[in-house]
Amino acid sequence: MDTRPTFYQEITNMMYATHGDPISTCIQCGTCSGTCPVVEFMDHTPRDLIGMIRADLKDEVLASNTYWYCASCFHCNVRCPAHIDIADLMYTLKRYSIWKNQYPEGLIGPTFAETFVKMILSGGRSYEPVLAPAYIFNYGLQGFLNEALTATGLLLKGRIPVLPPRIKRLDNFRRMVGHIIPASNLVGEAK
Ligand code: SF4
Ligand code: SF4
């Protein structure tokens, strides 16, 4: 007998630490989809995505752009009659997708998220010049020039440090992060 957890169980386990197993209480009413401000950019509505997870459609869910387009606005959370933390589900799927290294090509979100985690693990703080390459070329030449101009202004005013900042006791911080996110394989890479 195969005792490995199903995709549905993996996702609910990842949410369990904070919220129990909320997906099973979804009544598929569609209120989340009707209230989502970015649903037109998603290839599956939030309601559909929950149905797909419950049906264990792992590959289809991991090929979806839905959770990468989620803006974490929490409209759906406020209106869901089953009180499901849909925004947290979207974050869970992002974490799972990066953990499994499986996501659609051409999206800014996965590269940005992975770069962000590596950057935090390497110095303990955010440093915009490291993050910028993850998205700066996606907005064409004009977008690149605008970002470069803004960054130069911030550098000259001392709002962006010239060198990446580094916190004290970095090893302790890395160990802590390695325990709380399923991306601990990135801890070694960041050193
Ligand atoms: S609003 Fe809540 S109960 Fe209704 S479909 Fe969305 S997640 Fe399910
Ligand atoms: S939190 Fe995400 S899924 Fe929910 S309404 Fe906002 S953008 Fe849509």
Side-chain angles (χ1 to χ4, degrees):
M1 192 177 83
D2 191 353
T3 54
R4 285 174 300 181
T6 63
F7 174 58
Y8 170 60
Q9 287 167 335
E10 282 188 298
I11 296 300
T12 51
N13 285 348
M14 284 176 75
M15 296 183 75
Y16 184 74
T18 49
H19 301 288
D21 177 12
I23 307 176
S24 62
T25 62
C26 173
I27 55 172
Q28 290 285 290
C29 66
T31 305
C32 50
S33 309
T35 204
C36 178
V38 292
V39 73
E40 64 184 287
F41 302 107
M42 295 170 166
D43 48 19
H44 298 286
T45 65
R47 181 190 72 141
D48 286 350
L49 202 68
I50 290 174
M52 289 158 67
I53 295 167
R54 295 208 301 202
D56 260 331
L57 299 176
K58 178 177 172 178
D59 288 339
E60 289 81 350
V61 171
L62 290 177
S64 170
N65 70 14
T66 297
Y67 39 99
W68 294 108
Y69 275 94
C70 169
S72 308
C73 69
F74 291 84
H75 276 194
C76 51
N77 281 35
V78 171
R79 296 199 173 155
C80 173
H83 306 295
I84 295 172
D85 190 343
I86 303 151
D88 186 63
L89 169 65
M90 299 297 178
Y91 277 119
T92 300
L93 290 168
K94 285 177 191 170
R95 292 200 300 276
Y96 186 89
S97 165
I98 290 196
W99 177 31
K100 297 292 178 184
N101 203 24
Q102 202 176 330
Y103 37 75
E105 283 187 16
L107 291 177
I108 295 175
T111 313
F112 186 88
E114 198 163 327
T115 307
F116 184 82
V117 171
K118 282 182 184 168
M119 178 190 64
I120 291 295
L121 287 170
S122 88
R125 284 190 193 278
S126 176
Y127 183 57
E128 287 80 357
V130 172
L131 276 178
Y135 64 88
I136 202 167
F137 299 108
N138 287 61
Y139 300 109
L141 184 61
Q142 190 59 49
F144 169 76
L145 291 174
N146 289 344
E147 292 286 338
L149 209 60
T150 306
T152 307
L154 291 170
L155 267 171
L156 290 175
K157 288 185 187 303
R159 303 303 297 269
I160 297 180
V162 179
L163 294 173
R166 226 174 149 82
I167 62 167
K168 294 175 184 168
R169 295 191 286 277
L170 196 53
D171 280 344
N172 290 354
F173 173 73
R174 283 178 181 149
R175 263 200 304 279
M176 180 187 76
V177 175
H179 283 300
I180 60 174
I181 59 171
S184 49
N185 53 322
L186 296 176
V187 174
E189 286 180 37
K191 287 184 179 174

